[in-house]
Amino acid sequence: AQSVTQLDSQVPVFEEAPVELRCNYSSSVSVYLFWYVQYPNQGLQLLLKYLSGSTLVESINGFEAEFNKSQTSFHLRKPSVHISDTAEYFCAVTPMNRDDKIIFGKGTRLHILP
Amino acid sequence: DGGITQSPKYLFRKEGQNVTLSCEQNLNHDAMYWYRQDPGQGLRLIYYSQIVNDFQKGDIAEGYSVSREKKESFPLTVTSAQKNPTAFYLCASSMGTGNEKYFGPGTRLTVT
C-alpha cells in the first residue's frame, strides 16, 4: 500500500519570499510522483511530475521539485512567490505496477502575504 | 480545445433525492475517475472506469453509482443512501504511462 504525507496543512509566506511545501511518501514499490495545484473553486491542474531520469523537475511558472529516493520525499520549492500562487497544492503518487491508481496527500494551502 | 467538462458547477438538492452529476471528456482517454473533496481531507476516490462498460469501486463507493456507456461520458449518481453528500466532486481522465490525470472544474453539491 502507498501513503502520502503533506506535513503542513497551511503555509503563510510573504510575497517574493522563498517557499518549500513538504511531501513524504511511503510505498513498497517504485512510484511516479506528482504535484497538482488547485485554485479556489476550480479543479486540479498538474504542476509537475517525476517519472524517471533527472531527480529535479521544473514547472513553467518557476516551481521545482526534487525526488529524493533515500528520504522518500518530493518537496516543492519556489525561490520567489507571487500573490497569484495562492492556491492549494497536492502531492500524489502512482505505483509503477498499478498506473490506474493514484494516492493524494491531504493538501497544503499556500497563503501569500502582501 | 480538448478537455473535461462537468455540469452543473453548483447543484442544490433536498435530502432524500437522487442527483446525477455530468462528466464529459473529448481527450480520447480510456480511463475516467470520480473523486470527492472535503476540506482538509484531500481527494478520495469514489469510482473509476478503465474502459467502456466496465467500472470499479473506489475507496468510498457506498451511496454512489456510475455508468460508462460511452467513452466520453462517466456520469455519477449520488443516491439518497449517501449519508453526507454535500461536497465538491471532481471528475478526471487519463491515458498513458505515468498516469497523469486531467481534471474537470468540479461540481459543488449541497444537500439540505
Side-chain angles (χ1 to χ4, degrees), chain A residues 34 36 38 41 49 99 102, chain B residues 9 37 98-101:
Chain A
F34 306 86
Y36 284 86
Q38 184 179 33
N41 292 310
K49 62 183 178 183
D99 66 1
I102 184 166
Chain B
K9 189 167 179 63
Q37 186 177 24
N99 204 33
E100 172 183 339
K101 287 191 168 48

Side-chain angles (χ1 to χ4, degrees), chain A residues 74-86:
Chain A
F74 192 53
H75 301 331
L76 181 70
R77 296 188 291 261
K78 189 171 185 179
S80 174
V81 297
H82 301 285
I83 196 76
S84 59
D85 294 324
T86 298

Side-chain angles (χ1 to χ4, degrees), chain B residues 92-111:
Chain B
S93 69
S94 72
M95 178 180 285
T97 302
N99 204 33
E100 172 183 339
K101 287 191 168 48
Y102 294 79
F103 283 83
T107 292
R108 189 168 297 280
L109 173 65
T110 302
V111 176

Side-chain angles (χ1 to χ4, degrees), chain A residues 85-103:
Chain A
D85 294 324
T86 298
E88 190 156 19
Y89 293 79
F90 292 91
C91 183
V93 302
T94 290
M96 289 186 185
N97 62 350
R98 281 287 309 276
D99 66 1
D100 60 308
K101 190 176 166 79
I102 184 166
I103 300 93

Side-chain angles (χ1 to χ4, degrees), chain A residues 4 10 51 55 61 94-95 113:
Chain A
V4 177
Q10 296 191 62
L51 302 182
T55 56
N61 57 354
T94 290
L113 308 171

Side-chain angles (χ1 to χ4, degrees), chain B residues 22-100:
Chain B
S22 166
C23 176
E24 304 277 333
Q25 55 99 358
N26 61 3
L27 300 165
N28 199 34
H29 285 170
D30 287 319
M32 296 187 73
Y33 308 80
W34 274 106
Y35 293 92
R36 170 179 172 142
Q37 186 177 24
D38 297 283
Q41 294 199 43
L43 279 74
R44 293 182 289 170
L45 181 64
I46 305 172
Y47 267 98
Y48 66 101
S49 167
Q50 294 181 274
I51 198 167
V52 174
N53 292 323
D54 186 50
F55 48 82
Q56 285 80 40
K57 293 182 179 180
D59 301 319
I60 56 164
E62 186 175 348
Y64 300 97
S65 66
V66 294
S67 62
R68 186 86 187 276
E69 297 176 1
K70 298 187 298 182
K71 188 175 185 177
E72 302 79 20
S73 178
F74 191 41
L76 173 74
T77 296
V78 184
T79 75
S80 56
Q82 168 49 233
K83 296 194 185 328
N84 295 297
T86 294
F88 189 49
Y89 290 88
L90 288 161
C91 180
S93 69
S94 72
M95 178 180 285
T97 302
N99 204 33
E100 172 183 339

Side-chain angles (χ1 to χ4, degrees), chain A residues 20-95:
Chain A
E20 179 178 78
L21 306 184
R22 295 178 292 170
C23 173
N24 288 88
Y25 70 92
S26 171
S27 177
S28 56
V29 300
S30 296
V31 295
Y32 303 118
L33 296 132
F34 306 86
W35 276 100
Y36 284 86
V37 58
Q38 184 179 33
Y39 299 103
N41 292 310
Q42 294 186 26
L44 276 68
Q45 303 172 31
L46 182 70
L47 190 59
L48 46 77
K49 62 183 178 183
Y50 172 78
L51 302 182
S52 64
S54 171
T55 56
L56 184 66
V57 290
E58 298 176 352
S59 73
I60 57 172
N61 57 354
F63 283 94
E64 64 178 31
E66 186 157 21
F67 169 51
N68 188 319
K69 189 173 182 180
S70 62
Q71 296 187 5
T72 60
S73 67
F74 192 53
H75 301 331
L76 181 70
R77 296 188 291 261
K78 189 171 185 179
S80 174
V81 297
H82 301 285
I83 196 76
S84 59
D85 294 324
T86 298
E88 190 156 19
Y89 293 79
F90 292 91
C91 183
V93 302
T94 290

